């Protein structure tokens, strides 16, 4: 949920949240930043509210707003300075693909889901598929 691009970083970067829907409440902000042609830096910032009840009841017991604000501030402060070699790689990529950009949207996955045998394609879950 909440997929968005990170505009403060000079390389195409994204963030999104995942949410645990059982046993308390936990939201994780995931940040992905490519730092070389073969490496992506991933940050995972977790807001874990240890309390019982529905998400609404947990939020009443432990207000997530200050923690969410802290995570937003941390992510907003991330800056990347590429090495001269990595910067040259990105400059070449931009030169050859001037209109390339990260998708500004990402549809939610239906969960649970299966992955096709090709290892890439997400399929609707079928408990008998690989039985």
């Amino acid at each position: 949920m909440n997929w968005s691009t990170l505009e403060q970083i000079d390389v195409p970067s994204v963030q999104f949240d995942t949410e645990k829907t059982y046993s308390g409440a936990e939201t994780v902000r995931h940040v992905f930043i490519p730092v070389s042609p073969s490496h992506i830096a991933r940050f995972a910032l977790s807001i874990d509210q240890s309390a019982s009840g529905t998400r609404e009841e947990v939020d009443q017991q432990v207000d997530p707003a200050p923690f969410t604000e802290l995570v937003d501030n941390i992510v907003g402060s991330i800056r990347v300075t590429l090495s001269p070699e990595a910067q040259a790689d990105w400059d070449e990529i931009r030169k050859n693909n001037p209109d390339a950009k990260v998708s500004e949207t990402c549809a939610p996955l239906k969960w649970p889901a299966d992955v096709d045998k090709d290892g890439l394609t997400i399929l609707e879950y079928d408990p008998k598929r690989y039985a």
Side-chain angles (χ1 to χ4, degrees), residues 115-126:
V115 177
D116 195 9
K117 291 181 180 182
D118 66 9
L120 300 172
T121 307
I122 305 293
L123 304 171
E124 189 168 332
Y125 178 69
D126 178 356

Side-chain angles (χ1 to χ4, degrees), residues 55-123:
R55 179 62 191 238
E56 292 75 25
E57 292 168 339
V58 171
D59 284 352
Q60 287 178 357
Q61 295 176 57
V62 182
D63 182 8
F67 304 106
T68 302
E69 182 179 349
L70 177 60
V71 167
D72 290 342
N73 290 337
I74 290 169
V75 172
S77 71
I78 296 173
R79 301 294 182 268
V80 173
T81 303
L82 298 174
S83 69
E85 297 83 9
Q87 186 64 56
D89 288 341
W90 280 115
D91 292 343
E92 185 68 19
I93 290 168
R94 284 191 187 117
K95 179 179 148 192
N96 294 328
N97 303 284
D99 297 326
K101 65 179 184 176
V102 175
S103 173
E104 294 178 7
T105 61
C106 181
L109 294 175
K110 292 181 182 178
W111 199 257
D114 286 330
V115 177
D116 195 9
K117 291 181 180 182
D118 66 9
L120 300 172
T121 307
I122 305 293
L123 304 171

Side-chain angles (χ1 to χ4, degrees), residues 13-88:
S13 306
V14 298
Q15 67 177 346
F16 62 88
D17 297 336
T18 58
E19 184 175 277
K20 181 174 75 170
T21 57
Y22 60 91
S23 181
E26 180 183 22
T27 302
V28 180
R29 173 78 45 88
H30 303 271
V31 177
F32 291 87
I33 304 168
V35 293
S36 82
S38 58
H39 296 88
I40 294 177
R42 175 184 167 263
F43 299 87
L45 302 139
S46 177
I47 300 170
D48 190 359
Q49 298 160 266
S50 295
S52 62
T54 66
R55 179 62 191 238
E56 292 75 25
E57 292 168 339
V58 171
D59 284 352
Q60 287 178 357
Q61 295 176 57
V62 182
D63 182 8
F67 304 106
T68 302
E69 182 179 349
L70 177 60
V71 167
D72 290 342
N73 290 337
I74 290 169
V75 172
S77 71
I78 296 173
R79 301 294 182 268
V80 173
T81 303
L82 298 174
S83 69
E85 297 83 9
Q87 186 64 56

